[in-house]
Amino acid sequence: MEMGMRMSMVIIVGLFLMLGFNNIKYALADIGTASSYEPPYTPTKCNGNRADQFPPGNLFVSVSEGLWDNGAACGRRYRLKCLSGNNKPCKDDTIDVRVVDFCSKRPCPSTLLLSSDAFSAISKPHRGKINIEYVHSHDYSRNSFYERKEKKEMGKGGK
């Protein structure tokens, strides 16, 4: 009986640990604001006039000084969700976006400036300012522009 009790405790502790570690990424999210910005989107500070810098679905952002990190933000991915705004603008969707530019306005009106497609994916009105939750996403499973660029530079080709 004691062996069965120990096994049950190990299973229960294991389940709690799995659940805790699975949700830790949400505890590390930051709170900020987002606005949309309209085309033209080029040239960008990250890759100039290259059309292939923009991810599928045009889900990309321009970041403010606090996230720019002297250009190290280029290509960084964020997962974000609308939290609130005037007239209940939020959709329930969470989106993944890629940094392609530095906010050119001084001061930048928001933490993140979203492409119009990205903004409309999480907010009902296509304009305005919303409160968001965002976290640096480490999902590099997609064959992104930056991964292709790195493969080419290493002489492995890649598309």
Side-chain angles (χ1 to χ4, degrees):
M1 193 69 170
E2 189 173 309
M3 182 65 143
M5 183 94 98
R6 282 187 184 173
M7 187 60 98
S8 295
M9 287 297 281
V10 167
I11 290 172
I12 289 170
V13 168
L15 286 173
F16 277 118
L17 288 173
M18 283 179 20
L19 289 172
F21 286 126
N22 189 39
N23 291 323
I24 198 165
K25 62 185 174 192
Y26 298 111
L28 300 175
D30 287 309
I31 305 296
T33 57
S35 303
S36 67
Y37 75 114
E38 302 295 323
Y41 296 121
T42 55
T44 68
K45 292 282 188 187
C46 293
N47 286 294
N49 288 306
R50 294 185 63 161
D52 60 350
Q53 70 182 301
F54 300 108
N58 286 322
L59 300 179
F60 58 88
V61 298
S62 176
V63 296
S64 61
E65 181 72 37
L67 295 175
W68 180 241
D69 196 16
N70 291 321
C74 289
R76 196 173 284 163
R77 294 175 191 249
Y78 289 99
R79 177 161 291 155
L80 54 98
K81 179 176 181 62
C82 179
L83 296 176
S84 64
N86 291 334
N87 300 319
K88 300 181 182 180
C90 297
K91 294 181 179 179
D92 289 333
D93 298 334
T94 298
I95 61 169
D96 292 326
V97 295
R98 183 183 305 144
V99 175
V100 299
D101 207 356
F102 177 57
C103 179
S104 61
K105 297 178 182 176
R106 299 290 177 269
C108 190
S110 298
T111 310
L112 298 171
L113 291 181
L114 281 60
S115 66
S116 55
D117 289 334
F119 195 84
S120 65
I122 61 169
S123 178
K124 294 171 194 161
H126 299 290
R127 297 193 188 277
K129 192 174 197 175
I130 57 173
N131 298 308
I132 57 167
E133 178 180 67
Y134 64 97
V135 63
H136 184 205
S137 172
H138 296 283
D139 176 19
Y140 299 110
S141 61
R142 297 184 194 111
N143 189 17
S144 72
F145 164 77
Y146 299 97
E147 292 167 326
R148 291 192 312 267
K149 182 178 174 187
E150 288 172 2
K151 286 179 185 176
K152 284 181 183 177
E153 288 173 356
M154 292 172 50
K156 295 180 181 177
K159 278 194 167 192

